[in-house]
């Protein structure tokens, strides 16, 4: 392996797909930084789960697709990206997984305080990082179109991690901490 450092970023720029250099705080780099952070948090979740846990394969697939998504985010329009994007199919799978888990969850009707088990707390953290990544992607999208599959995929990930966090609490028979009831449910 060559050395890790290149010194090419010492003046505040970094390279993107196609060879262009952009500022390190460019929205494209910021969006990818959030996606990278999300991938790392998912890695933490996986490290906390038993190797044979049913969620391992799904989370691994998400991590692999996030790497592809990041390559697309690093590619400005007009430059061809050779990595096939599978985010649409994985979005559908996330929806199916959420539907199956939601069918098993007890309805709570409350805003919940993140925490509980270490896995649940990390899944809640992953949810918030996914939301931030989504916000950065929409900012980028206003400047240079982001594939709709990517926008939907990252949106769905935050939902998935919320449902998984709740499911983890239920799997461990750990009570969820309620903050307050949803306003629309209190009016009844």
């Amino acid at each position: 392996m060559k050395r890790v450092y290149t010194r090419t970023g010492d003046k505040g720029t970094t390279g993107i797909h196609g060879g262009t250099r952009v500022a390190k705080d460019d929205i494209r780099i910021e969006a990818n930084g959030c996606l990278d952070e999300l991938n790392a948090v998912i890695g933490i979740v996986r490290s906390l789960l038993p190797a044979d846990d049913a969620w391992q394969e799904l989370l691994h697939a998400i991590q692999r697709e996030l790497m592809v998504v990041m390559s697309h985010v690093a590619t400005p329009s007009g430059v061809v990206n050779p990595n096939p994007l599978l985010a649409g199919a994985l979005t559908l799978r996330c929806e199916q997984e959420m539907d199956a888990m939601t069918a098993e969850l007890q309805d709570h009707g409350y805003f919940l305080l993140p925490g509980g088990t270490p896995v649940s707390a990390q899944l809640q953290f992953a949810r918030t990082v996914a939301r931030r990544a989504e916000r950065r992607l929409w900012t980028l999208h206003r400047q240079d179109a982001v594939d709709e599959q990517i926008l939907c995929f990252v949106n769905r990930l935050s939902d998935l991690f919320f449902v998984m966090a709740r499911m983890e609490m239920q799997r461990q028979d750990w009570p969820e901490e309620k903050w307050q009831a949803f306003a629309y449910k209190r009016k009844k």
Side-chain angles (χ1 to χ4, degrees):
M1 177 179 179
K2 293 181 179 180
R3 42 173 217 244
V4 173
Y5 61 91
T6 63
R7 297 185 179 132
T8 58
D10 291 351
K11 301 289 185 196
T13 65
T14 192
I16 60 173
H17 195 155
T20 304
R21 294 197 69 78
V22 298
K24 288 197 176 205
D25 60 353
D26 182 271
I27 188 57
R28 185 177 307 282
I29 304 308
E30 179 64 25
N32 256 349
C34 294
L35 293 168
D36 190 27
E37 182 181 356
L38 175 59
N39 209 343
V41 176
I42 296 168
I44 293 169
V45 171
R46 289 186 63 214
S47 77
L48 295 171
L49 292 171
D52 62 349
D53 190 281
W55 288 350
Q56 284 284 2
E57 190 277 326
L58 173 63
L59 293 172
H60 182 255
I62 290 168
Q63 283 189 292
R64 291 185 58 82
E65 187 61 12
L66 278 173
M67 297 301 287
V68 173
V69 164
M70 288 168 52
S71 79
H72 282 266
V73 171
T75 305
S77 56
V79 176
V80 176
N81 184 309
N83 296 311
L85 191 60
L86 305 173
L90 198 48
T91 298
L92 179 61
R93 179 172 176 203
C94 289
E95 290 171 351
Q96 292 166 342
E97 295 281 348
M98 281 187 283
D99 291 345
M101 284 185 273
T102 301
E104 294 181 36
L105 285 173
Q106 302 163 357
D107 184 32
H108 60 89
Y110 288 84
F111 287 101
L112 302 172
L113 297 178
T117 71
V119 170
S120 178
Q122 288 294 335
L123 284 164
Q124 290 284 6
F125 183 46
R127 173 189 59 80
T128 66
V129 175
R131 285 285 185 222
R132 181 166 25 94
E134 182 184 17
R135 292 189 303 269
R136 298 293 87 78
L137 287 168
W138 277 103
T139 301
L140 172 60
H141 183 68
R142 284 193 295 276
Q143 294 178 12
D144 190 21
V146 173
D147 191 301
E148 185 177 310
Q149 288 183 72
I150 293 171
L151 297 169
C152 292
F153 176 59
V154 176
N155 177 271
R156 216 62 86 248
L157 287 180
S158 60
D159 297 333
L160 174 69
F161 297 140
F162 174 75
V163 173
M164 289 176 81
R166 290 202 62 226
M167 191 72 208
E168 168 63 8
M169 296 290 280
Q170 190 167 300
R171 290 192 323 179
Q172 301 303 324
D173 196 28
W174 196 285
E176 295 177 309
E177 291 184 276
K178 299 172 182 175
W179 177 58
Q180 68 182 34
F182 295 137
Y184 69 91
K185 292 188 177 188
R186 287 194 308 242
K187 293 179 181 180
K188 292 182 179 180

